[in-house]
């Protein structure tokens, strides 16, 4: 009987299908209700951004001075601003702008930061020293001050704000990937790949980079939330999107003088920023818990 039990156990173990890390991560992510709520918020704002032309009831930049500072009503759900523009339409189109800045700035910083981090971690020595010092210099400045300095040099515009946000996020991705590469390159399969004569480029692209994807994805989702806040801050200071672009930070700046007279002009853009950032942060925390092996029971 013990031999039969052992054979059955072994057969069951053999028949169990192997689950890829990504499928396992998704299965763990679905168990996190808070993370799913965050994902729902993200999908909601992405949907709004994609279909802004259909969903917006009015032109986002059309001025009607006769409708100045109308309170929320059936005609204008979010009210109107000091130029009579429909705030709901401007918030909807603002989602497209904020998500564009968030996604593209993070993609740019992730590409540059990941490349530099992989090179620094894999080759080490003086290469690592130079790249790490560059990261240290960038991290020595407060992020928003560095972004202001970059935009001041390039000129105030939405595109330059995107570039500035990408630059200040490069060292975050670089240091994260560098630490991951330092750990991965000591694994036995990397040593075996070198022993059989595999080139550095193939090792980097086929082994080290795929095994560094999980922290990059987690950091990317969290960085988008930060990028949206930074874009709103630059817009509020007049260094990002310029009038009449319906960008959330610029909307707050244009309405700050009417916060008592027409509070809805500040409330709805602020709520849009808060919900979008909350969604990405909750989703990022859920991805971290799902993809980090140390968080598993």
């Amino acid at each position: 009987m013990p031999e039969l039990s052992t054979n059955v156990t072994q057969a069951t173990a053999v028949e169990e299908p192997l689950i890829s890390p990504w499928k396992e991560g998704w299965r763990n992510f679905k168990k996190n209700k808070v993370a799913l709520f965050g994902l729902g918020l993200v999908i909601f704002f992405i949907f709004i951004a994609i279909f802004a032309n259909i969903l917006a009831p009015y032109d986002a930049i059309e001025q009607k001075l006769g409708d100045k500072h109308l309170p929320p009503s059936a005609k204008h759900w979010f009210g109107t601003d000091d130029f009579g523009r429909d705030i709901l339409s401007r918030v909807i189109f603002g989602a497209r702008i904020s998500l564009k800045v968030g996604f593209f700035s993070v993609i740019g910083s992730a590409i540059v930061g990941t490349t530099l981090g992989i090179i620094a971690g894999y080759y080490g020595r003086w290469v690592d020293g130079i790249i790490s010092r560059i990261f240290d210099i960038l991290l020595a400045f407060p992020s928003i001050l560095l972004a202001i300095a970059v935009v001041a040099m390039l000129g105030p515009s939405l595109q330059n704000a995107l570039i500035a946000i990408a630059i200040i996020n490069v060292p975050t991705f670089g240091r994260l990937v560098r630490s991951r590469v330092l750990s991965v390159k000591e694994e036995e399969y990397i040593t075996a790949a070198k022993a059989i004569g595999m080139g550095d480029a193939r090792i980097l692209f086929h082994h080290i980079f795929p095994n560094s994807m999980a922290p990059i994805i987690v950091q990317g989702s969290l960085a988008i939330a930060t990028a949206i806040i930074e874009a709103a801050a630059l817009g509020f200071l007049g260094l990002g999107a310029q009038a009449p672009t319906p960008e959330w930070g610029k909307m707050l700046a244009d309405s700050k003088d009417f916060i008592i007279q027409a509070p809805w002009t500040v409330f709805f853009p602020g709520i849009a920023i808060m919900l979008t950032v909350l969604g990405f942060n909750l989703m990022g925390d859920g991805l971290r818990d799902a993809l980090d092996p140390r968080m598993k029971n």
Side-chain angles (χ1 to χ4, degrees):
M1 292 298 292
E3 293 181 358
L4 179 59
S5 177
T6 301
N7 293 336
V8 171
T9 303
Q10 292 176 347
T12 303
V14 172
E15 292 175 358
E16 290 182 353
L18 295 175
I19 301 177
S20 70
W22 297 108
K23 288 184 178 180
E24 184 180 1
W26 171 243
R27 186 175 62 183
N28 294 331
F29 182 85
K30 290 191 296 183
K31 297 177 182 179
N32 191 332
K33 303 303 181 183
V34 176
L36 288 177
F37 174 73
L39 177 62
L41 285 176
V42 170
I43 293 175
F44 172 73
F45 279 100
I46 291 176
F47 176 83
I48 288 177
I50 293 174
F51 298 101
N53 292 329
I54 300 175
L55 297 175
Y58 298 95
D59 189 328
I61 62 176
E62 182 182 1
Q63 299 181 11
K64 295 181 180 180
L65 297 180
D67 293 338
K68 176 181 178 180
H69 285 163
L70 294 179
S73 63
K75 183 178 180 181
H76 299 281
W77 289 5
F78 287 4
T80 61
D81 62 9
D82 54 318
F83 288 101
R85 296 172 298 197
D86 183 67
I87 294 179
L88 174 59
S89 300
R90 292 179 65 79
V91 168
I92 290 175
F93 277 95
R96 174 178 292 180
I97 295 172
S98 294
L99 290 178
K100 174 185 175 181
V101 173
F103 278 112
F104 283 100
S105 63
V106 169
I107 290 173
S109 58
I111 292 174
V112 176
T114 299
T115 302
L116 293 176
I118 288 178
I119 293 173
Y122 185 77
Y123 291 103
R125 297 184 178 180
W126 63 270
V127 176
D128 184 18
I130 293 175
I131 295 177
S132 296
R133 296 300 77 77
I134 294 174
F135 291 159
D136 292 339
I137 292 173
L138 292 175
L139 290 172
F141 296 92
S143 59
I144 188 62
L145 292 182
L146 181 58
I148 291 173
V150 173
V151 175
M153 290 187 295
L154 299 177
S157 69
L158 184 64
Q159 180 178 355
N160 292 339
L162 189 155
I163 294 173
I165 295 171
I167 291 174
I168 64 178
N169 283 314
V170 165
T172 304
F173 283 95
R175 297 186 74 173
L176 175 69
V177 174
R178 173 184 174 274
S179 62
R180 177 64 177 169
V181 172
L182 288 174
S183 174
V184 171
K185 76 174 186 177
E186 300 299 329
E187 297 289 340
E188 293 182 357
Y189 62 87
I190 299 296
T191 304
K194 292 180 180 179
I196 62 175
M198 186 177 293
D200 290 344
R202 189 173 180 184
I203 292 175
L204 291 174
F205 285 103
H206 287 267
H207 295 293
I208 292 182
F209 178 70
N211 285 285
S212 303
M213 281 295 295
I216 294 173
I217 292 174
V218 174
Q219 181 58 36
S221 61
L222 297 173
I224 291 175
T226 304
I228 291 173
I229 294 177
E230 290 165 345
L234 291 174
F236 185 84
L237 296 173
L239 298 174
Q242 302 298 302
T245 305
E247 193 272 327
W248 292 337
K250 181 61 177 173
M251 292 173 65
L252 291 176
D254 294 340
S255 304
K256 66 180 185 299
D257 296 331
F258 311 104
I259 189 171
I260 302 299
Q261 177 184 353
W264 56 87
T265 59
V266 177
F267 177 78
F268 291 110
I271 286 294
I273 295 173
M274 186 271 289
L275 291 177
T276 306
V277 172
L278 176 65
F280 279 105
N281 281 335
L282 293 179
M283 185 180 71
D285 289 340
L287 288 173
R288 180 196 59 200
D289 296 342
L291 298 177
D292 190 347
R294 294 171 297 181
M295 303 298 293
K296 299 176 183 178
N297 295 325

